[in-house]
Amino acid sequence: MTRDPRPMTAFSRRSFVAASAALPLLPRLNFASLLGDSATSRIKARPFDLRQVKLGAGPFRDAMEVNRRFLLSLDPDRLLHNFRVTAGIPSSAEPLGGWEAPDNELRGHFVGHYLSACSMLGASLDDSELSARSSQLTAEFAKCQQPNGYLSAFPEEFFDRLRDGRGVWAPFYTLHKIMAGLLDTYTYNESDQALQVLRGMVRWTGGWTGPFSSAHMARVLEREYGGMNEVLYELSAATGRDSYQPLAHKFDQDVFFTPLAEGHDELDGLHANTNIPKVIGAALRYELTGEPRYRRIAEYFWETVTSRRSYCTGGTSDDEGWHDADTLSKQLGGYTHECCCTYNMLKLTRHLFGWSADPALADFYERALFNGVLGTQHPADGQKLYYVAMQSGYWKLFGQPLHSFWCCSGTGAESHAKFGDSIYFHDDDGIWVNLFIASEVNWAEKGVTLTQDTRFPDEDSTTLTVRCKRPVHMALRVRVPYWATQGGSAMLNGRKLDAFAAPSSYLVLDRVWKNGDTVKVTMPMSLRACAMPDDPNVQAFMYGPLVLAGKLGTEGLTAETLRAAPTKPRAIPEYLTKPIDAPVLKPPSDDLASWIRPVAGKSLEFRTTGQEQDVTLVPFNRVLDERYALYWAWDVGPGA
């Protein structure tokens, strides 16, 4: 989401020349042709409903609980204030700050995300209090909705400005968030009222866009509009009504789609998160209609972004845009890796996996989830990051309670509400286990419950237990990640299996399962260096799927500078606008394990040895309130 103005205050503007680590190329996708006469034939792997997957103890469940406290801490009357004022309904509530303030042109967008997050987290946790929040706001939305179907926290005049080409931020962006929140409330709360309010908004949208020529609509689409095509295609799928699709087509931006359909990367200079949701809409159009053009668009876009424009964390964007593909070592600073982009790339990846069940997609999903989502929420109060700084010497700059509500505050609330949505997929014959997260999935249609017990990544194994009332034939497919290069092993009911599977593939056990059968899979993790494609002397370290961060201390950090100003820059001392330098590493050997060694008694903690300044390395998702380094300049010495 474009910012107006940028919320970050402690990051320097001149931070584009420090080292970065690119996403090492994952195995190429093997997109099979799955076109058919129906949407069902186009989907190979189907995700389980959030209500069917329950998380066990571990970092992801902990993050969901933090997010729950954050969501329930917000006063519904304050969230509804701008909607009521716009509708002419008296409100005595104190307005929220930041991007939900009464003078901000995106006001209302976070409330849409809030609906989605409460609905999804309520479904994930079986939490009636959260579900009641989304139903409560929906009922108040119904009171604020105009007879013509219009509903927003700002007046229709914003759309007059959009229609006439006068300055306005992004009104359809906000409308999309509200519509998506209502759709999620309908889906997870089974709220007919949410569907009725949403249909009213669709009716207004159709009436507003109806008079426009294709040329006029193209000009409207030049302004960021979120995932308007996405939500309309989703509504069509959720209700089984094709009548919503022509309106969705109006939000398919052909000038952006055409190069992608032809296999051309013309993303340089574009705002990243403006465009990722459009491609999610293209993916949904393919699923609904079978038009191969939209599959090509989604697949090519995913591959070019993940292979040419993504950092080691799986995140993408520099200063919110894409610039000069394949030159990420020159695109680093404090404004990299916008969190909204990771949220949306994971949504797109989830769709693409459904078409092909390609393990490379699940490999990317794991990388981005563990490094680009987990760790972007402050455990003390649930505040979220906007950017994830890729330049060494910075720190995680979280929002201020009640005074931020950035785009990434909203997507972050959703991301930390739905960790169960991509752990498992299924077809008629079996289950894919894509992520190693303590959890349980109830496959009622098959009469099977699968429980996953694991302390991954603190341990390198996971145990899967089948529960069923009667024996059932099923293929259990456990992902062997791309990073499992040291081999692995599997035990079925305590007996070691003779065969394993290659990295970036699936260990498939196709058999008749009985109640209590167990499979234990062990996949040793190892250290590896990830070089930037355009500069082999710039490296990041990974251990298994985890990006390791060097701890650089808290020099110059105070309670104030650890949090970002809501919207406007503050005057702060000059030294706080600059990152500190990270040590230059002189590797004595290509064997990382010979000079980067585990710290005794500390899980997933390492320490360099033999350096002029040794550093401690820990998983990036565990770094909090201190400076860090992700990318290291290597001094390989003369003649290397």
Side-chain angles (χ1 to χ4, degrees):
M1 178 60 216
T2 52
R3 50 189 197 290
D4 185 279
R6 74 172 68 233
M8 310 295 267
T9 61
F11 289 159
S12 169
R13 286 294 298 151
R14 53 178 189 80
S15 52
F16 297 97
V17 295
S20 170
L23 179 70
L25 291 179
L26 299 178
R28 299 282 294 182
L29 300 185
N30 301 311
F31 288 117
S33 176
L34 299 174
L35 298 181
D37 296 329
S38 67
T40 301
S41 67
R42 289 185 281 276
I43 304 299
K44 182 174 182 179
R46 299 184 292 278
F48 286 91
D49 188 285
L50 274 175
R51 290 164 286 199
Q52 295 176 271
V53 181
K54 302 305 174 187
L55 266 59
F60 289 94
R61 177 61 186 249
D62 292 345
M64 290 172 70
E65 293 292 348
V66 170
N67 195 35
R68 178 186 183 273
R69 293 193 296 271
F70 163 70
L71 293 172
L72 292 177
S73 73
L74 298 176
D75 181 353
D77 286 323
R78 297 187 70 179
L79 292 165
L80 289 162
H81 173 77
N82 289 320
F83 289 88
R84 288 169 170 161
V85 170
T86 299
I89 299 173
S91 173
S92 59
E94 180 184 358
L96 296 168
W99 287 18
E100 285 296 316
D103 61 348
N104 191 289
E105 291 193 347
L106 286 190
R107 59 188 182 268
H109 77 105
F110 175 82
V111 187
H113 285 296
Y114 184 84
L115 275 181
S116 292
C118 287
S119 298
M120 291 188 291
L121 192 52
S124 296
L125 298 177
D126 286 331
D127 191 307
S128 59
E129 189 174 4
L130 283 167
S131 298
R133 277 289 179 96
S134 52
S135 295
Q136 175 189 0
L137 263 66
T138 295
E140 295 302 315
F141 275 178
K143 299 175 184 177
C144 296
Q145 190 167 34
Q146 301 302 308
N148 65 356
Y150 183 78
L151 172 66
S152 188
F154 49 71
E156 286 186 74
E157 184 267 336
F158 280 33
F159 286 93
D160 295 339
R161 289 157 55 191
L162 178 64
R163 178 197 61 212
D164 299 339
R166 292 181 282 131
V168 67
W169 194 345
F172 268 122
Y173 176 92
T174 295
L175 220 63
H176 162 246
K177 309 311 170 193
I178 300 167
M179 295 170 72
L182 289 165
L183 183 56
D184 286 330
T185 303
Y186 167 65
T187 300
Y188 295 109
N189 288 18
E190 300 179 358
S191 169
D192 290 335
Q193 186 175 44
L195 180 60
Q196 293 307 313
V197 175
L198 175 56
R199 282 175 169 164
M201 296 182 72
V202 173
R203 185 176 70 253
W204 178 88
T205 302
W208 189 84
T209 60
F212 296 163
S213 66
S214 58
H216 193 165
M217 191 66 192
R219 291 195 295 273
V220 167
L221 299 185
E222 292 174 1
R223 180 64 58 180
E224 185 172 11
Y225 59 86
M228 283 297 297
N229 56 348
E230 173 193 357
V231 72
L232 290 165
Y233 287 127
E234 284 187 332
L235 179 60
S236 176
T239 61
R241 295 192 177 187
D242 295 343
S243 56
Y244 296 115
Q245 293 182 30
L247 182 57
H249 296 343
K250 288 190 175 184
F251 289 92
D252 287 329
Q253 190 180 33
D254 198 59
V255 69
F256 173 64
F257 284 165
T258 295
L260 296 171
E262 296 172 351
H264 298 150
D265 182 337
E266 298 182 6
L267 301 179
D268 285 355
L270 297 184
H271 182 268
N273 197 55
T274 291
N275 292 292
I276 305 172
K278 301 173 187 176
V279 182
I280 301 171
L284 281 158
R285 179 166 179 168
Y286 163 72
E287 291 177 4
L288 287 171
T289 69
E291 297 171 83
R293 178 177 192 262
Y294 293 91
R295 178 168 179 159
R296 290 196 301 271
I297 289 168
E299 291 175 347
Y300 178 75
F301 175 86
W302 185 93
E303 189 156 348
T304 196
V305 170
T306 60
S307 65
R308 306 182 70 204
R309 301 177 181 275
S310 293
Y311 302 108
C312 61
T313 55
T316 186
S317 76
D318 172 32
D319 203 25
E320 301 202 4
W322 288 308
H323 321 281
D324 299 329
D326 302 317
T327 63
L328 289 180
S329 68
K330 300 176 178 64
Q331 296 181 35
L332 300 214
Y335 299 92
T336 43
H337 182 146
E338 182 185 355
C339 290
C340 282
C341 296
T342 312
Y343 160 87
N344 278 311
M345 284 301 295
L346 288 179
K347 288 178 71 173
L348 178 61
T349 303
R350 189 167 182 261
H351 281 285
L352 269 61
F353 181 84
W355 306 344
S356 65
D358 192 304
L361 289 151
D363 284 339
F364 172 81
Y365 198 103
E366 177 188 57
R367 178 194 290 262
L369 185 69
F370 274 85
N371 302 297
V373 176
L374 192 65
T376 61
Q377 171 184 254
H378 201 291
D381 53 21
Q383 288 298 304
K384 312 299 191 287
L385 291 180
Y386 191 146
Y387 305 100
V388 182
M390 295 289 104
Q391 183 178 350
S392 299
Y394 281 125
W395 61 98
K396 294 180 179 179
L397 196 58
F398 293 94
Q400 295 179 346
L402 303 178
H403 290 286
S404 296
F405 300 108
W406 310 314
C407 50
C408 299
S409 305
T411 55
E414 289 191 40
S415 291
H416 290 80
K418 58 176 183 175
F419 288 134
D421 75 349
S422 295
I423 301 173
Y424 308 100
F425 288 74
H426 71 95
D427 59 9
D428 292 340
D429 300 322
I431 290 180
W432 285 269
V433 180
N434 274 358
L435 298 171
F436 310 122
I437 296 175
S439 55
E440 181 174 279
V441 58
N442 178 16
W443 192 5
E445 299 86 348
K446 197 80 169 178
V448 170
T449 297
L450 183 67
T451 302
Q452 181 174 185
D453 293 307
T454 184
R455 293 187 64 249
F456 183 85
D458 290 277
E459 295 180 351
D460 61 3
S461 64
T462 188
T463 299
L464 300 156
T465 303
V466 176
R467 302 292 181 191
C468 51
K469 292 183 177 180
R470 58 184 61 86
V472 59
H473 185 270
M474 179 180 72
L476 180 62
R477 314 169 181 107
V478 183
R479 182 175 62 93
V480 178
Y482 73 98
W483 47 260
T485 57
Q486 305 301 307
S489 63
M491 300 179 70
L492 175 61
N493 294 329
R495 179 177 61 85
K496 185 175 180 179
L497 300 180
D498 294 333
F500 200 60
S504 200
S505 69
Y506 285 93
L507 171 67
V508 181
L509 301 177
D510 193 344
R511 65 190 297 271
V512 174
W513 297 87
K514 300 185 295 297
N515 187 51
D517 282 346
T518 63
V519 176
K520 181 176 181 180
V521 178
T522 301
M523 293 169 290
M525 294 181 281
S526 59
L527 286 166
R528 67 188 185 282
C530 302
M532 288 292 290
D534 60 318
D535 190 345
N537 291 328
V538 177
Q539 305 266 0
F541 298 122
M542 297 190 73
Y543 185 71
L546 303 172
V547 174
L548 298 179
K551 301 176 71 171
L552 300 184
T554 59
E555 176 187 336
L557 302 184
T558 65
E560 181 184 32
T561 58
L562 285 171
R563 296 300 178 110
T567 55
K568 296 181 179 179
R570 295 173 292 171
I572 57 176
E574 174 65 17
Y575 74 92
L576 289 177
T577 68
K578 299 177 180 179
I580 64 174
D581 292 332
V584 173
L585 299 181
K586 297 182 179 181
S589 167
D590 291 337
D591 179 12
L592 298 186
S594 69
W595 59 280
I596 302 177
R597 297 172 182 168
V599 176
K602 298 291 184 69
S603 178
L604 299 176
E605 187 169 316
F606 300 85
R607 181 80 176 171
T608 64
T609 61
Q611 302 296 307
E612 292 181 8
Q613 180 182 342
D614 283 313
V615 293
T616 297
L617 299 165
V618 297
F620 182 47
N621 60 39
R622 299 183 182 181
V623 172
L624 188 70
D625 296 340
E626 63 182 311
R627 298 179 186 268
Y628 59 82
L630 297 180
Y631 315 102
W632 307 88
W634 281 38
D635 180 0
V636 295

